[in-house]
């Protein structure tokens, strides 16, 4: 699922000339509430075990409005946390992406201080920073450089799919995951074309190798 509409999306992106770690706006709040209600009515939440969320504020705010409709986030299944915040599913952070896109994040310390985000566990983000040798909790650098390139972003998209596929190895049940992320990563990892709308979503089956099958089309994506 792509995040709900943010202030940086207003007027086709003109609404924010420089918007670092943009928040969702009133339209985005209504979008997230509406999608949450539809998923609840369809019985989707009852099948979910885990939510993976991008550390950008707009994705976290979307998750807070969508996930409370479900019974799973405040329970633990097979000894695992049922919500994880992870930088692998964050939006691209190319050199120009802080202008009008909000693709510069907030540090782990800044995010964890927010009372709104106290429900989330930040250990995966901290571990990511340590593993990638990212300083000061600035996870959006992804390491070792301060900006991503097109090729490094594509490699991260592949790592995301393989990581999602590998999660099954650590759970004792067939795993159903809600991924709350961004349009760019959805295009790069799952070939979502054209650019997904705010709160747009698709369903995929993932293998441990990272091969994803679009369920509606039966089309395998590598």
């Amino acid at each position: 699922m792509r995040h709900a509409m943010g202030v940086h999306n207003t007027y086709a992106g003109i609404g924010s000339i420089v918007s670092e770690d943009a928040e969702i706006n009133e339209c985005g709040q209504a979008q997230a509430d509406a999608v949450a209600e539809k998923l609840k009515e369809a019985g989707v939440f009852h099948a979910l075990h885990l939510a993976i969320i991008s550390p950008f504020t707009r994705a976290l705010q979307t998750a807070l409005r969508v996930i409370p409709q479900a019974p799973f986030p405040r329970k633990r299944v097979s000894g695992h946390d049922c919500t994880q915040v992870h930088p692998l599913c964050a939006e691209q952070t190319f050199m120009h992406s802080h202008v009008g896109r909000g693709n510069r994040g907030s540090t782990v310390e800044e995010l964890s201080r927010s009372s709104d985000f106290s429900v989330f566990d930040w250990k995966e983000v901290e571990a990511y920073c340590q593993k990638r040798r990212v300083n000061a909790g600035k996870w959006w650098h992804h390491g070792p450089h301060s900006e991503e390139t097109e090729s490094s972003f594509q490699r991260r998209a592949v790592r995301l799919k393989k990581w999602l596929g590998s999660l099954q190895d650590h759970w004792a049940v067939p795993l159903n995951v809600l991924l709350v992320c961004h349009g760019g990563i959805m295009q790069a990892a799952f070939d979502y074309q054209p650019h997904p709308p705010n709160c747009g979503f698709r369903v995929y089956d993932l293998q441990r190798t990272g091969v994803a099958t679009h369920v509606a089309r039966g089309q395998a994506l590598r």
Side-chain angles (χ1 to χ4, degrees), residues 157-158 161-162 185-193 202-222:
V158 172
K161 287 189 291 184
K162 290 183 176 180
I185 194 70
M186 291 169 73
Q187 287 185 307
F190 302 105
D191 195 31
Y192 194 128
Q193 303 293 342
R202 286 181 179 171
V203 182
Y204 298 87
D205 283 334
L206 278 116
Q207 301 177 24
R208 291 172 177 82
T209 59
V211 174
T213 300
H214 184 193
V215 172
R217 296 179 180 174
Q219 178 185 3
L221 308 169
R222 296 184 180 274

Side-chain angles (χ1 to χ4, degrees), residues 33-45:
D33 292 345
V35 170
E37 187 62 29
K38 290 296 183 182
L39 294 178
K40 180 182 178 182
E41 291 175 356
V44 171
F45 288 137

